[in-house]
Amino acid sequence: MAAKKSKNIYFFGGGRADGNKDMKDLLGGKGANLAEMAGLGIPVPPGFTITTRMCHIYFKNRRRLPRQFLEDLHRAMARLERMTGKKFGNPSNPLLVSVRSGAPVSMPGMMDTILNLGLNDRTVRGLEKLTGDRRFALDSYRRLIMMFGDVVLRIPREEFDKVFEGFKARAGVKTDVEVPPDVLADIVEEFKSIVQDKTGKPFPQNVYKQLEMAVAAVFLSWNNPRAIYYRKQNNIPDDMGTAVNVQTMVFGNMGDDSATGVGFTRNPATGEKEFYGEYLTNAQGEDVVAGVRTPKKITALKEEMPEVYRELIKIAQRLEKHYRDMQDIEFTIEKGKLYLLQTRAGKRTARAAVKIAVDMVKERLITREEAVLRVDPHVLNQLLHPVISIDAEYTPLAKGLGASPGAAVGKVVFSADAAVEWAAKGEPVILVRKETSPEDIHGMDAAQGILTSRGGMTSHAAVVARHMGKPCVVGCEELEIDDNRKRFKVSGTIVNEGDFITIDGSTGEVILGQLPLEDPQISGEFEEFMSWADKFRKLRVRANADTPGDARLAREFGAEGIGLCRTEHMFFGEERIGVMQAMIMAETTSERKKYLDQLEPMQAEDFEGIFEAMEGYPVTIRLLDPPLHEFLPTAEEIKKSIEEEESKDNPDRDRLEQLRKLLARTEELKEFNPMLGLRGVRLGLLYPEVYQMQVRAIIKAALRCRKRGIKVTPEIMIPLVGIEGEISKMNEMVRYVADALVKEAGIKLEYKVGTMVEVPRAALTADEIARHAEFFSFGTNDLTQTTFGFSRDDSAKIIKTYLEYSTRCEKCGGELDESFTCGTCGGTYSMKPAPILDTDPFQTLDVSGVGELMKIAIEKGRSVRRDLKLGICGEHGGDPASVEYCHNLGLEYVSCSPYRVPIARLAAAQATIRAKQKARQDKKTSKKKRKKRA
Amino acid sequence: MAAKKSKNIYFFGGGRADGNKDMKDLLGGKGANLAEMAGLGIPVPPGFTITTRMCHIYFKNRRRLPRQFLEDLHRAMARLERMTGKKFGNPSNPLLVSVRSGAPVSMPGMMDTILNLGLNDRTVRGLEKLTGDRRFALDSYRRLIMMFGDVVLRIPREEFDKVFEGFKARAGVKTDVEVPPDVLADIVEEFKSIVQDKTGKPFPQNVYKQLEMAVAAVFLSWNNPRAIYYRKQNNIPDDMGTAVNVQTMVFGNMGDDSATGVGFTRNPATGEKEFYGEYLTNAQGEDVVAGVRTPKKITALKEEMPEVYRELIKIAQRLEKHYRDMQDIEFTIEKGKLYLLQTRAGKRTARAAVKIAVDMVKERLITREEAVLRVDPHVLNQLLHPVISIDAEYTPLAKGLGASPGAAVGKVVFSADAAVEWAAKGEPVILVRKETSPEDIHGMDAAQGILTSRGGMTSHAAVVARHMGKPCVVGCEELEIDDNRKRFKVSGTIVNEGDFITIDGSTGEVILGQLPLEDPQISGEFEEFMSWADKFRKLRVRANADTPGDARLAREFGAEGIGLCRTEHMFFGEERIGVMQAMIMAETTSERKKYLDQLEPMQAEDFEGIFEAMEGYPVTIRLLDPPLHEFLPTAEEIKKSIEEEESKDNPDRDRLEQLRKLLARTEELKEFNPMLGLRGVRLGLLYPEVYQMQVRAIIKAALRCRKRGIKVTPEIMIPLVGIEGEISKMNEMVRYVADALVKEAGIKLEYKVGTMVEVPRAALTADEIARHAEFFSFGTNDLTQTTFGFSRDDSAKIIKTYLEYSTRCEKCGGELDESFTCGTCGGTYSMKPAPILDTDPFQTLDVSGVGELMKIAIEKGRSVRRDLKLGICGEHGGDPASVEYCHNLGLEYVSCSPYRVPIARLAAAQATIRAKQKARQDKKTSKKKRKKRA
């Protein structure tokens, strides 16, 4: 038969199925899974799937369903009637079906669904009799007309909502379920007149007509603008098409022997291997969602319907074993009969994800490779930082960028000094600033968390907070901070110094008051899981750490070295900043050297501690990078001090003179664009004595360690190099100073000299630079700044706008409404415009621009130095997508803040596994191709 | 004979020569030219050249001269004796020779020379008798010992200088020539003992020994560190070797029938075709240099020695014709006999260069191609701007960077307002500022010239001044400007407001007082010359012009369009800045639009004027680029105004409120790095109404021109694009606004939409960007800033240090002395270290970095749009080396400030010719190679 040749309807139910889970291309994801369950003998409401092939035919056939197919469809309904013992369109025992789309890949929220199809003015009365529930029957009919009107007839949903809300108001009820049956009857009549008014035709009473129209509408939805846009965004081919699932409706609200519920095959919060679920007797799925009644624990079902319970547990276990993952299932019990409506991989907490992955390996359900891929690296943050309790209910006051994960509660303070003062009294505080600067570090250190109204993901506050592992929200532009009055305003609410707030550094939310927090819990499974990840990964993971304490923390998190030790933070200590400032104020080289001599032993002590903590792992130390004025007070502050002194009765002449000198030097050092000014290697070349002091401190510390029998691997890193001469001279200078000390000590000490690649020119001339550098460390923060021309401190607002630009009109820049119409110029769009940026390039490495420069640098660098050591020490080192890119680029290591080390370790493992899988796949494909050609 | 086979000594003199000018590889440049002159029958003191081949043999033979060669050398001296009638080492008529190096390519200052060789204790008395001049004879001997000691025996020159200065002091004389003969005799004895002391051997009295040692020393000098370094720097192969020239000494101080002089075959100042020279009777070359006696005009020689004069003129004409260029010659008349000692291309002024080139074409001496190559484009500045009079003598007070050519004289003022005020009274002023900002433009306009203590070649002052064609010196760091006291201090001198200074924007010199200036003179030859250049060049030359006046000026200088019309400058007009500020202060889009509507007709009027001036040539208009805060007063200024208002008896409450709002907005707009902040297309996307207003103004102006029958070619340029979405959205927006107006007008109007490529990401993703841009204009100023990570406003000091870094120790950064010894750490260098930068990348395009990005952009851009129009509008568009690079990259045009247009035109022509020559050469070479292979 011709029909056999191109079978377009696949049945499932009654313990059998025409399809299975591997037929997603033809049956869509949903259809294939329903078939799979049916094939396994699991009770699913019977039904059939119309293939994606028919979707193509529909579009080719000028958007008409072929006559032959319609005949098949009628025959399929007849078969369904036989299977269920119900009759489609028959009032005495009406067969009701759902019609749902289901594409081969998940396209959430985009596809359409119609429930209760088969109801009309006559069958609704049959349903009423059958269930003895007039309200339920009428409500089901009301819903059908509304969904059908919306999806099939394209009547704006608001038309129905408006009427419904009107009736509710008049009836004086709040929730849908409270609407009395008589009112529902009126609503049904009103809904039918809407259909008549808007389409000129009555709501179809012929149930086959309903079905045919519904199927056609689902096919048509494949090419609605939203779907086209979604496919374009997600690289889904347009010619894939969608399948349509027609499935018998089952009802859990047909008496006390009926119920509906959801469940997880394992505890989604803890990962414990136990069936975890909830249900409601005599209820429908939506009742669970609406929250009018409190669902019962699944254990209660054991008492109420012991047999059904046993069956449910058995099915759940079977599904999990079959799908080899924790399943989230939906079920309905209709008159004592259990039906599975859905199964899919279940969402879980980080803790559960890790435990489940580890347990399943032990149960020999999955391999270690699979286990490692099962946990999203991002969620590890949950394991490492406190989070807002799951039970807490709240409405955020404002939302910024989640810059450093974890939640914190504290009293608002507006200055670093206040933070220190309050914290000393035992008060938890949140430091709220427009932006932070190096002078705020002591305050950040004292605070529970940091909140700023400006700055992006790599602003000072964000970088330092991540580094400290402290919750931080930045760029919260809604906040109007008034430092003088010690308060901030946000959409009408005023928050004063001392008021409690809670911030969530993962979501960027700011909440008024104290929310309950939950501490992180690191389980034994976590250690085991990470040890597997470590075995797979090729990339080394180092940490960015500036102090011995940081270094120890980094080791605890599994760092295999320090990729970036910023020496400047060491100068901000209380007893050091004064000497540093004196050094900057020095007018001659010899005077400057005097102060440098004082700083040297302090730095050496720090380095010794860091080397000790790292136990021989490589430690990359970056020589002084920031512009000198960062170590001085601002001109404003000095002017204020001068005024204060002058207004005294007996002003201190010497102090005034000093302050004036300080002011002059500050103004001399002032730069228009400090980011592009006198910093990094430029400082080292203009004031060589500063770098020389640092090199001496490093080498002396290393030699002292060696004397104490501690292994050390120092790597001296020159920042901001962009010209061959900079690194060639600096390399010579560093080695001259270092070798003299090593020779004097008579101890063998190996060290490396390398450079950061953080301006485009360094990448473009990497062949020249690699001649003088043993390693490159990509400073992707600065490289992103210079490649885009984005200042990280000023770009938050721009990037935010760019990420959200899909809501703006491309013609006049006005705001678009939901139907993609511009509120300003009235222009309409057939699809939502694209955003300008998909991701914040300071969070996830920009592959096309910055990544391209990295490629150029690697290629040119290795062309002159084959064993060039390559790493990355920008913030991207802790971002999973960026870590994967770094793996594929062939870097040797990534470096990130200590708290992100586990994330990077896992991401690196996943990158390796995925690359291996891809290689296998590519091999297969090319084999196939070869075969085809042969 | 074996000796013939490898001839190593080439004679010249007596009307014959073994070599000629084309044998530079073997005889070196000097030897070949001497041979050439001799071959032409021009009297040169006879001598011979030892080949570069012998240089190789010398090094291969372990730095010894082969015995066979020494025999040849003795025979050669015997031949020279026969030719001159003098005897080498014979006191009665001693033959004296000079021994000079001469490599195939010029290596100035690096090679060694020994004069008066052949003198010893006996021949010196012979010379005394012969000349009757004891002082001369002894002085010649003294010089020989000194030069021989230095060059051959490697005794530090200071040893001799010390002794000589000691004797002079004791004798109470100041100049060398005043030293009496008896003292000279003592000096000679003392010099001889230095030789004995330092080498353990006496000064060689055997003249052949002198000669052999001198020849070996010259060969050896080929591999002295300085020479190796120079070759490395200039890509000269190490295996080239040097030749040695042994030439009879002639003396112009043998009586009144002797003389010495120099001359040019044409007037080097004006280019007039007339022999131009000076001479001294009875004198030596060094006497002319020492300036003790005033030389006579060459015309006097006509009277004194008419025959010699005629011969000299004849020779000069012959040499010029032969070398096909104006010659600079040195001659000596010894006892009535004329000798030519040197001929080379003569240095000349710009005016002379142009006239000579044009005249020589008319005389059919050279082709037009050659003529165009003869003038250095840089020197055209001399023709277009006033210069300090050649006769002026002065010592500069300070030196900065010559940022905009031309000299200016004026009274010092310290504020833009003062400049305007004083200028209104008819006073010429020089505006002196730490740096300038857009708010200073009216003052810069009123001033004769601008002087700043900060900023580099592309700082605001520099760019605007060049643009105005106004002399400007920037980055004069020595100046300590005290705005409050209205004065500046520089190395002890205090210059007050109202004091006269002169600045030279070409050299960067600042001079106290009024120097005489000379106005530029454009000759008829110049027009003709430029018309030839225009015929050769492929690159179009456009100008950067912002006003109708600028546009007209640009046309006068030969611009073929506007490559960059900066729309922001239009907003600084007195009646406009207020509206602009109100627009920035607007709190709603509709309020902002109100002010934009006021600005629109003003912009349209400007554009109409510019289109009119450009007569259909393309006009590239850049939409608003700078950050908004540039249009507002600074926070400091507003605070001052607030204080002033508050201190009044009756403060104006409304004004205070307004000022406070202004302050708040200014602080809101404040950015850490404005260069990398909210500007360019980012502004256009955040405030689309601003760009829309500008597009309307452009299109309306163009339509109005069309109605008046004027051709227009507008090109709308979007600045700072780095992301595809930026240009795709902006392109759509611009076209939407423009097309609506064009349609409404019903007039056909073509326009282009394109982008500036000025951040690295634009170049790296040029394939994505070119999809939405019809043209790229390389904004190499900003591209240089972002590629290097150099802020143009802050980098002057860094770049200066980098350019001069060759004087710094690579080990400790200390200052090196002349013998490459570090004053700080005592480290010694065998050669001078290299600078970090060879040229200022803001002046001359950085080929390795920025140029690489341009290449990437061109390749990727053209891969998606074959007819992509390419140009450059950075400051580099007026730099000859950069213009040549742009030609080779295949750009369509360069754009520069109007005053630089002629320079760019000439540079573009030269680039074309040189590329053609190179192609011809390459063709020849590959032909040869093919022949060889065949």
Side-chain angles (χ1 to χ4, degrees), chain A residues 351-424:
Chain A
R351 193 176 146 200
V354 171
K355 180 162 172 53
I356 291 169
V358 171
D359 286 351
M360 283 191 171
V361 169
K362 294 191 174 157
E363 295 161 23
R364 295 176 188 268
L365 216 52
I366 56 173
T367 64
R368 287 183 179 180
E369 266 193 18
E370 284 172 305
V372 166
L373 287 179
R374 286 274 169 91
V375 181
D376 178 355
H378 285 290
V379 306
L380 294 190
N381 268 329
Q382 285 179 28
L383 295 183
L384 307 169
H385 298 281
V387 292
I388 294 175
S389 169
I390 285 185
D391 308 320
E393 281 178 19
Y394 58 87
T395 314
L397 189 65
K399 196 157 186 274
L401 298 166
S404 178
V409 174
K411 292 182 174 178
V412 168
V413 292
F414 291 93
S415 75
D417 290 339
V420 171
E421 203 176 296
W422 290 49

Side-chain angles (χ1 to χ4, degrees), chain A residues 866-934:
Chain A
R866 275 190 58 193
D867 62 346
L868 184 68
K869 209 169 163 180
L870 296 163
I872 177 176
C873 62
E875 289 292 316
H876 301 99
D879 170 70
S882 310
V883 169
E884 180 152 7
Y885 187 72
C886 290
H887 171 88
N888 294 334
L889 278 179
L891 299 196
E892 191 174 325
Y893 69 85
V894 298
S895 188
C896 54
S897 59
Y899 289 90
R900 282 188 160 192
V901 165
I903 297 174
R905 283 160 65 200
L906 179 54
Q910 294 186 346
T912 317
I913 297 170
R914 270 196 289 268
K916 233 194 303 185
Q917 287 178 341
K918 197 179 167 294
R920 262 182 248 146
Q921 196 55 46
D922 289 353
K923 216 171 159 187
K924 262 191 210 165
T925 316
S926 70
K927 242 188 201 167
K928 262 189 203 163
K929 271 189 193 159
R930 253 178 287 145
K931 265 191 190 168
K932 253 191 186 169
R933 255 185 249 137

